[in-house]
């Protein structure tokens, strides 16, 4: 949609300019060329304009396109013009004389600022194209604009000099909105997602499908009609195909259109069809070949081919394809269309599940929709539940929601109702929406006596939701009750029970079970551990500060989740989240970019938006980050779990801290503390330290000291090394005078290469602020430059910019970047040797010291410069010296 809005803005300028007042919009069928012209007409606000629509039938009559154009003007032409028109179909057309005569009359009679909007210009006859091209070129000087559309990549010769704009395919989110805008009945979000899947980026396709679906809904046909009946006449499509392909290829297209897929081997058995015919269709882009299956990607074309045959003819096509099909699922699908078919709908749904496992989303939906259309006395609830589960694993959350809603209308047993409710809750958890715990309690109270395991799993989901909202006592009660039910069912619990228990353990500082579970899965073979368990253990290890171990656990999931799109997407999302938790800025930036480039399914909202806000803050792009945070903050305390709400306000506070708005930052961090409730973890410690820093920077030292004393014991209860470093930095900020300086210096000395480089930079940063406050500008400058160097090396440009602002306020700050001046003579010598490529032994021989001494000096140098290895050190100083 953004592409179209930008295009409309550009074309609007054409209608007011004095030059270049002719443009061509190109795009394939269904991309919305006609809609674009209509939008331009609506935006002209009273400016005179005419809309001319061309027809495929005009090509057989000379000047038929020109006559359509003249009828739309409309003008009474003088005899000297009309006498030039041919009086027979095969008569010669003098394009030049007609064009000159028309130009003379139109210049005199057409209103100034007139805009001609010509749809499907390439459908006009060649003579009309030449004359209109001539008029469009000559009349621009008379403030007359021409905006036209074509359906092919080839621009007609008379219009080659015009500006050309191509329409892109729309993204699924925009297509869903187009579907809702064009539907006169209430269109469910999940149904709109199904339509968007089938539209392949074409807004015209989805508009036609919505019209067809509207009729079906008004007639109480609940399942979707696929393939839908096209509203536009199909003769133009058929004429194009007949002109471009042989009869054998047209026959092949009819057979391919009869179903969502046909195997390549089966297509070779079609009457008179050869491998050459199929290759030609694939090369032309009409037919798609993926692995061993052929399909028609253009749904408009497929629908027109499908419905162009009458019912008996379609049945014959289905019968023949069923006879030659080698794939059981496809054979069953075509047999089910025959009049005497006894194929159960449940078997069709099972076939749809197999297609989903192979990644054939569109074909699977068509199989299932056809099965639902055929339902009479059948009630295939078990098959539908399995189908919904597979949709979840395929990452098709919106489509899965549609079938959960449909299944609710069927008769079910109590166990089936609980299974369906579990799937609904899974959908909510994966989408990041609130889980209704009261509904869970009601279902458990009703069915716990007969369905122990199912009710235990429901309580596990409730406990997980309560943990994320900071209600740890209530979550603990649900976990104990769930464990009792699993014990009665003679079960150790489901993956969701393990997840809820480990999340609860990590928030209550009960780390032994987490470490124990981590050791178990590290010894497990591929396939023995559920994907949710990998995600849970990785996240819990990150809470412990075991960041490398968490990353290794997540890597095992990503390497083994190739066939499960949902968990691959979740793995990428968790990878970004865990890198941010670890303060590993370079890896976090790359992980967010990987997530954004993946085909995710709107998982875990609002977490993707939160990690993107962090990404843009690190990139020093507040113009990108703040709109994201502003859109989330009004809902932070009501509509998203508190664990996410805390991160939203935390990021808003970080932006204020970077920008020097310290009082505002302190307010944000105080609100963040409130959202944690009883959760005390590393993130809570970081919030407290940021608050203390904001208060001290705002020149409120007493408040900073009081805040440290109030939260010291809670911060000290978090055992990770990262939390301890944060606590010591808070102490240094809160202490007065020389004592604080000695604590900062001690922090720098105890920092280790395995610790966060971002934390090292923050220590230098805060140390410099304190030195500057005490009037030691030259020492402060050295700390600021060290902080800026590390910030830039790791990609934390937002923080680097905040240090640059501090440097600009220091009187004796250098105008250049003398990083080398911060090093001692021995350190400069070591940098030079590293850049020359000397090994540790070579350096040791040159300096007459031991290899271990060289390693110790390099470690100190890495820490001082914010680099991690010899390559980074060499590249950094090569860039600075250059």
């Amino acid at each position: 949609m953004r592409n179209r809005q930008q295009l409309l803005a550009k074309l609007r300028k054409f209608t007011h300019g004095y030059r270049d007042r002719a443009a061509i919009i190109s795009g394939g069928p269904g991309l919305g060329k006609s809609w674009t012209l209509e939008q331009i007409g609506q935006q002209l606000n009273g400016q005179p304009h005419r809309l001319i629509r061309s027809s495929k039938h005009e090509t057989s009559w000379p000047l038929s396109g020109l006559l359509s154009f003249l009828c739309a003007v409309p003008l009474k032409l003088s005899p000297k013009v009309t006498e030039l028109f041919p009086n027979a179909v095969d008569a010669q057309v003098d394009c030049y004389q007609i064009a000159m005569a028309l130009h003379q009359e139109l210049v005199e009679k057409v209103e100034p600022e007139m805009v001609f909007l010509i749809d499907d210009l390439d459908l006009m006859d060649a003579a009309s194209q030449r004359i209109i091209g001539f008029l469009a070129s000559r009349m621009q000087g008379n403030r007359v604009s021409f905006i036209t559309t074509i359906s092919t990549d080839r621009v007609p010769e008379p219009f080659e000099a015009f500006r050309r704009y191509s329409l892109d395919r729309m993204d699924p989110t925009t297509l869903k909105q187009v579907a809702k805008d064009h539907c006169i009945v209430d269109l469910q979000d999940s149904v709109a997602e199904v339509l968007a899947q089938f539209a392949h980026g074409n807004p015209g396709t989805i508009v036609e499908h919505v019209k067809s679906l509207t009729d079906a809904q008004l007639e109480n046909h609940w399942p979707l009609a696929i393939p839908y009946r096209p509203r536009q006449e199909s003769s133009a499509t058929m004429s194009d195909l007949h002109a471009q392909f042989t009869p054998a290829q047209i026959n092949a297209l009819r057979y391919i259109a009869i179903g969502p897929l046909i195997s390549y081997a089966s297509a070779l058995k079609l009457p008179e069809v050869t491998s050459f015919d199929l290759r030609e269709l694939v090369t032309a882009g009409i037919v798609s070949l993926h692995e061993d299956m052929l399909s028609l990607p253009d749904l408009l074309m497929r629908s027109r081919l499908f419905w162009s045959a009458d019912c008996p003819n379609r049945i014959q096509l289905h019968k023949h394809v069923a006879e030659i099909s080698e794939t059981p699922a496809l054979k069953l699908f075509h047999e089910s269309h025959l009049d005497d078919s006894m194929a159960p709908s449940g078997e069709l749904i099972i076939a749809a599940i197999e297609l989903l496992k192979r990644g054939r989303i569109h074909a699977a939906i068509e199989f299932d929709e056809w099965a639902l259309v055929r339902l009479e006395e059948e009630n295939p609830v078990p098959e539908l539940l399995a189908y919904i589960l597979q949709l979840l694993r395929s990452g098709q959350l919106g489509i899965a929601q549609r079938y959960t809603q449909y299944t609710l209308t069927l008769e079910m047993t109590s166990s089936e109702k609980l299974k369906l409710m579990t799937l609904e809750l899974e959908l909510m958890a994966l989408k990041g929406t609130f889980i209704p715990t009261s509904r869970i309690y009601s279902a458990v109270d009703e069915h716990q006596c007969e369905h122990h395991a199912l009710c235990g799993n429901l309580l596990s989901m409730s406990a997980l939701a309560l943990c994320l909202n900071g209600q740890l006592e209530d979550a603990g009660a649900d976990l104990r009750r769930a464990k009792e039910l699993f014990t009665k069912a003679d079960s150790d619990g489901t993956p969701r029970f393990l997840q809820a228990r480990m999340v609860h353990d990590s928030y209550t500082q009960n780390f032994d079970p987490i470490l124990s579970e981590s050791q178990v899965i590290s010894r497990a073979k591929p396939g023995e551990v559920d994907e949710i368990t990998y995600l849970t253990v990785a996240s819990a290890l990150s809470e412990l500060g075991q960041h490398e171990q968490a990353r290794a656990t997540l890597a095992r999931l990503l390497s083994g989740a190739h066939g499960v799109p949902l968990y691959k997407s979740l793995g990428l999302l968790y990878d970004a989240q865990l890198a941010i938790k670890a303060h590993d800025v370079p890896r976090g930036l790359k992980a967010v970019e990987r997530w954004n480039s993946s085909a995710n399914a709107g998982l875990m909202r609002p977490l993707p938006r939160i990690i993107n806000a962090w990404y843009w803050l690190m990139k020093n792009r507040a113009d990108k980050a703040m709109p994201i945070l502003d859109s989330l903050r009004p809902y932070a305390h009501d509509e998203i779990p508190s664990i996410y709400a805390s991160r939203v306000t935390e990021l808003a506070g970080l932006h204020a801290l970077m920008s020097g708005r310290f009082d505002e930052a302190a307010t944000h961090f105080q609100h963040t503390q409130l959202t944690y409730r009883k959760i005390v973890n590393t993130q809570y410690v970081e919030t407290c330290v940021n608050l203390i820093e904001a208060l001290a920077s705002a020149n409120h030292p007493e408040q900073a000291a009081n805040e440290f004393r109030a939260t010291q014991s809670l911060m000290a209860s978090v055992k990770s090394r990262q939390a301890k470093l944060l606590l010591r930095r808070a102490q240094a900020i809160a202490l007065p005078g020389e004592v604080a300086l000695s604590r900062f210096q001690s922090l720098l000395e105890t920092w280790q290469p395995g610790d966060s480089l971002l934390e090292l930079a923050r220590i230098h940063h805060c140390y410099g602020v304190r030195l500057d406050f005490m009037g030691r500008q030259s020492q402060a400058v050295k700390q600021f430059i060290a902080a800026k160097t590390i910030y830039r090396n790791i990609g934390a440009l937002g923080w680097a910019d905040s240090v640059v602002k501090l440097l600009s306020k220091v009187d004796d700050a250098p105008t250049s970047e003398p990083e080398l001046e911060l090093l001692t003579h021995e350190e400069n010598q070591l940098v030079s040797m590293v850049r020359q490529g000397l090994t540790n032994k070579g350096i040791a021989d040159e300096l007459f010291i031991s290899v271990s001494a060289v390693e110790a000096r390099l470690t100190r140098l890495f820490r001082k410069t914010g680099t991690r290895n010899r390559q980074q050190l060499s590249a950094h100083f090569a860039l600075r010296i250059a």
Side-chain angles (χ1 to χ4, degrees):
M1 184 59 76
R2 184 180 178 186
N3 168 269
R4 284 153 179 77
Q5 290 171 342
Q6 292 173 342
L7 175 60
L8 289 172
K10 291 178 180 177
L11 293 175
R12 187 73 182 89
K13 294 178 182 178
F14 274 94
T15 63
H16 288 293
Y18 287 89
R19 299 181 59 186
D20 297 328
R21 299 183 66 144
I24 289 182
I25 305 168
S26 64
L31 280 181
K33 300 183 299 299
S34 301
W35 175 86
T36 304
L37 284 189
E38 292 170 1
Q39 293 297 307
I40 295 170
Q42 292 175 14
Q43 293 184 10
L44 290 177
N45 298 325
Q47 186 175 346
H49 63 278
R50 298 288 184 272
L51 178 60
I52 302 102
R53 298 193 186 277
S54 305
S55 168
K56 185 73 176 178
H57 303 295
E58 293 175 353
T59 56
S60 59
W61 295 92
L63 298 185
S64 55
L66 179 63
L67 291 172
S68 297
F69 170 77
L70 294 174
C71 289
V73 177
L75 292 175
K76 185 177 181 180
L77 300 175
S78 63
K80 69 177 183 179
V81 176
T82 56
E83 288 172 359
L84 296 172
F85 287 3
N87 53 15
V89 175
D90 55 352
Q92 293 293 321
V93 178
D94 192 339
C95 293
Y96 178 74
Q97 291 295 335
I98 295 173
M100 290 297 292
L102 273 176
H103 176 257
Q104 185 176 355
E105 293 209 13
L106 291 177
V107 166
E108 296 175 356
K109 298 177 180 180
V110 171
E111 301 173 71
E113 303 296 341
M114 173 65 77
V115 181
F116 290 112
L117 307 171
I118 307 176
D119 199 12
D120 289 328
L121 178 71
D122 48 339
L123 297 184
M124 286 187 179
D125 59 284
S128 296
Q129 289 180 3
R130 290 177 64 83
I131 295 170
I132 292 176
F134 176 86
L135 295 174
S137 300
R138 291 298 186 92
M139 295 184 71
Q140 292 181 54
N142 299 92
R143 294 184 295 172
V144 176
S145 307
F146 285 76
I147 300 176
T148 68
T149 68
I150 58 174
S151 299
T152 61
D153 292 330
R154 185 183 65 81
V155 178
E157 182 182 353
F159 300 90
E160 287 179 345
F162 294 0
R163 288 204 179 187
R164 178 182 171 187
Y165 298 93
S166 59
L167 289 178
D168 297 332
R169 294 183 181 273
M170 285 186 176
D171 61 274
T173 303
T174 307
L175 281 175
K176 284 170 61 178
Q177 190 58 49
V178 170
K180 291 179 179 179
D181 292 343
H182 284 80
C183 193
I184 63 174
V185 296
D186 184 23
L187 186 64
Q188 297 173 359
D189 186 74
S190 54
V191 176
E193 187 149 344
V194 177
L195 300 184
Q197 282 276 353
F198 272 86
H200 295 286
N202 287 7
T205 300
I206 207 165
V207 168
E208 287 202 21
H209 208 152
V210 163
K211 290 177 181 177
S212 178
L213 179 60
T214 300
D215 285 349
Q217 286 188 331
L218 293 175
E219 295 171 5
N220 296 320
H221 293 171
W222 175 246
L224 305 180
I226 299 175
Y228 63 87
R229 284 184 181 273
R231 297 308 181 91
Q232 300 174 11
E233 48 87 19
S234 60
S235 58
T237 299
M238 299 306 296
S239 298
D240 279 344
L241 293 176
H242 282 296
Q244 189 175 357
F245 299 109
T246 66
Q249 290 170 333
I250 299 296
N251 190 47
L253 286 172
R254 289 186 184 279
Y255 277 103
I256 295 172
I258 205 70
L261 297 169
I262 187 172
S263 69
Y264 189 86
S266 298
L268 286 176
K269 298 177 183 178
L270 296 173
E272 301 178 357
V273 175
T274 66
S275 59
F276 173 80
D277 294 319
L278 296 178
R279 285 198 304 271
E280 284 285 297
L281 292 171
V282 171
T283 303
I286 301 295
V287 173
S288 172
L289 173 61
H290 183 66
E291 294 177 353
D292 60 335
M293 293 292 179
L294 296 166
S295 63
L296 275 176
D298 188 337
L299 192 61
L300 282 172
M301 180 181 293
R302 182 185 164 204
S303 296
R304 287 166 183 166
L305 284 166
F306 183 91
W307 294 105
S308 63
D310 56 25
C311 186
N313 193 359
R314 287 199 299 273
I315 291 176
Q316 283 300 115
L317 292 173
H318 279 299
K319 183 177 181 180
H320 188 67
V321 176
E323 291 172 351
I324 62 176
S325 287
E326 300 174 351
T327 308
L330 296 177
K331 188 179 186 71
L332 176 67
F333 174 78
H334 290 289
E335 286 179 345
S336 67
H337 283 75
L338 305 183
D339 290 338
D340 58 348
S341 171
M342 300 298 291
S345 293
E347 290 186 16
L348 275 171
I349 298 174
I350 292 172
I353 295 171
E354 293 304 314
L355 288 170
L356 279 175
K357 291 178 179 178
R358 296 180 60 186
R360 309 286 188 176
I361 306 296
H362 303 94
I365 294 172
E366 185 164 338
F367 270 49
D368 195 72
E369 289 294 333
W370 175 239
L372 298 182
V373 169
R374 297 175 70 252
L375 280 184
E376 291 181 2
E377 296 181 0
E378 286 186 77
N379 201 34
V381 173
E383 292 85 353
L384 278 171
L385 293 175
Y387 178 67
I388 295 168
L389 179 60
Q390 190 57 45
L391 280 169
L392 284 176
R393 293 177 66 84
S394 300
Q396 305 297 324
L397 305 187
I399 299 174
Q401 183 183 354
R402 161 178 163 61
Y403 293 107
T404 59
Q405 293 168 344
Y406 178 81
T407 309
L408 284 170
T409 65
L410 304 178
E411 292 184 6
M412 290 179 284
T413 64
S414 58
S415 64
E416 289 171 342
K417 287 180 181 178
L418 290 173
K419 289 176 182 177
L420 181 61
M421 185 177 178
T422 301
L423 290 172
E424 285 185 276
L425 295 175
E426 286 285 348
L427 268 170
M428 293 178 183
L430 292 170
K431 281 189 166 186
T433 55
F434 270 118
I435 293 176
T437 53
S438 59
R439 186 180 164 203
I440 291 175
Y441 298 149
S442 176
V444 171
D445 291 341
E446 182 180 355
H447 299 291
Q448 62 181 338
C449 295
E450 49 183 342
H451 302 294
H452 305 307
L454 289 172
C455 291
N457 192 60
L458 288 178
L459 285 170
S460 303
M461 300 288 288
S462 173
L464 179 62
L466 292 168
C467 283
L468 294 176
N469 210 36
Q471 298 169 263
L472 300 183
E473 292 179 3
D474 293 338
D478 281 359
L479 283 171
R480 289 189 292 273
R481 190 177 172 190
K483 186 175 181 180
E484 292 174 3
L485 290 171
F486 283 124
T487 302
K488 291 179 181 178
D490 196 21
S491 169
D492 294 331
T494 60
R496 281 298 186 192
F497 174 71
L498 175 64
Q499 181 185 27
R501 194 189 71 200
M502 294 189 71
V503 169
H504 188 267
D505 286 340
S506 66
Y507 289 166
T508 55
Q509 303 288 300
N510 183 21
F511 292 142
D512 290 339
I514 298 172
L515 294 173
S516 176
E517 189 65 34
S518 171
Q519 294 171 358
V520 170
I521 70 165
S522 66
R523 296 190 296 266
K525 296 178 181 178
E528 290 183 350
V529 178
D530 186 271
E531 292 91 344
I532 293 176
T533 302
Y534 278 117
L535 294 170
T536 303
V537 172
S539 185
L541 287 170
S542 182
E543 290 291 340
L544 279 174
Q546 305 287 332
H547 299 301
E548 289 302 318
Q549 197 172 346
R551 187 179 179 184
T553 302
L554 202 58
R556 292 192 67 184
L557 167 69
L558 290 171
S559 63
H562 300 301
V564 188
L566 171 68
Y567 294 112
K568 187 169 184 179
S569 292
L570 281 174
L572 293 174
L573 183 59
Y574 270 64
D575 188 33
Q577 182 191 25
L578 299 187
I580 294 170
K581 276 186 179 181
H583 285 178
D584 190 342
V585 177
R587 186 166 70 89
L589 294 173
K590 291 178 182 177
V592 175
E593 289 166 359
R594 279 196 300 271
W595 161 258
N596 287 334
S597 63
S598 68
N600 62 77
L603 298 170
M604 302 291 290
R605 292 173 298 190
L607 184 55
R609 297 173 72 186
I610 291 172
I611 66 171
N612 271 287
W614 173 89
Y615 175 89
W616 290 117
L617 284 179
M618 292 301 106
K619 289 285 188 178
N620 199 25
R621 292 293 304 275
D623 59 317
K624 294 275 191 179
M626 293 315 295
I628 298 174
L629 294 177
D630 289 341
S631 67
L632 289 171
R633 280 162 59 190
Y635 310 107
H637 300 289
D638 299 318
E639 297 187 15
I640 61 176
S642 64
I643 200 69
Y644 295 144
S646 64
R647 193 61 182 146
V648 172
T649 48
E650 175 87 12
L651 289 173
L654 284 177
H655 176 247
L657 193 61
M658 290 177 187
S659 304
R661 304 191 306 273
F662 303 120
D663 286 318
E664 179 186 335
T667 301
H668 284 305
F669 294 135
Q670 286 166 346
H671 289 164
T672 306
Q673 280 183 329
L674 295 175
T675 60
Y676 276 103
R677 299 186 181 181
K678 295 185 178 181
I679 297 176
V680 179
N681 55 9
T682 305
Q683 196 68 50
Y684 171 81
V685 175
E686 184 177 352
T687 299
C688 294
V689 177
N690 285 333
L691 173 57
I692 293 166
E693 180 182 344
L695 291 170
S697 300
N699 202 22
H700 304 310
E702 291 184 7
Q703 290 184 35
N706 290 337
E707 182 64 33
F708 176 75
R709 284 191 288 270
T711 57
Q712 180 180 7
S713 59
L714 282 176
M715 289 193 287
S717 67
V718 182
K719 305 300 182 184
S720 69
R721 176 170 172 79
Q722 183 177 345
K724 293 184 186 303
L725 283 173
L726 288 166
L727 175 61
R728 292 185 64 188
R729 176 155 64 89
Q731 184 184 43
I733 294 169
L735 287 171
E738 295 290 338
V739 181
L741 300 184
S742 64
R743 293 298 171 89
F744 277 120
Q745 191 59 43
S746 174
L747 260 177
L748 291 175
E749 292 170 358
T750 55
W751 185 89
Q752 298 176 4
D755 294 330
S756 161
L757 283 170
L758 179 64
E759 179 57 25
L760 175 62
R762 294 291 298 276
I763 294 169
H764 281 296
H765 189 161
C766 295
Y767 192 7
V769 169
R770 176 54 64 89
L771 287 166
D772 184 36
F773 179 76
M774 296 174 67
R776 304 182 184 182
Q777 275 74 26
S778 59
Q779 295 178 21
V781 166
K782 290 184 178 181
Q783 296 301 324
F784 286 149
I785 290 176
K788 182 183 67 171
T789 302
I790 299 172
Y791 284 144
R792 286 184 174 175
N793 281 349
I794 64 178
L797 303 183
W799 282 114
D801 186 63
S802 68
V803 176
V804 170
K805 291 174 183 175
L806 290 172
L807 279 168
S808 67
K809 297 177 182 177
V810 180
D811 293 337
D812 55 352
T815 56
S816 60
E817 299 182 1
E819 277 92 345
L820 287 171
E821 293 179 9
L822 291 173
L823 307 183
T824 64
H825 173 72
E826 291 77 10
E827 288 171 336
N828 275 315
Q829 192 177 20
L830 190 58
V831 169
S832 177
M833 291 179 178
V834 169
R835 292 185 63 229
Q836 292 172 28
L838 270 67
T839 63
N840 285 1
K841 187 177 185 308
I843 295 172
D845 292 341
E846 288 285 333
L847 298 179
F848 300 101
I849 58 177
S850 66
V851 174
S852 59
V854 173
E855 292 172 349
R857 292 187 184 186
L858 279 174
T859 298
R860 287 196 295 271
L861 192 55
F862 293 153
R863 179 176 63 200
K864 193 169 185 178
T865 58
T867 53
R868 288 188 180 274
N869 51 48
R870 297 164 63 96
Q871 290 78 12
Q872 287 186 7
L873 182 72
S874 180
H876 171 69
F877 282 106
L879 178 63
R880 291 295 179 269
I881 293 170

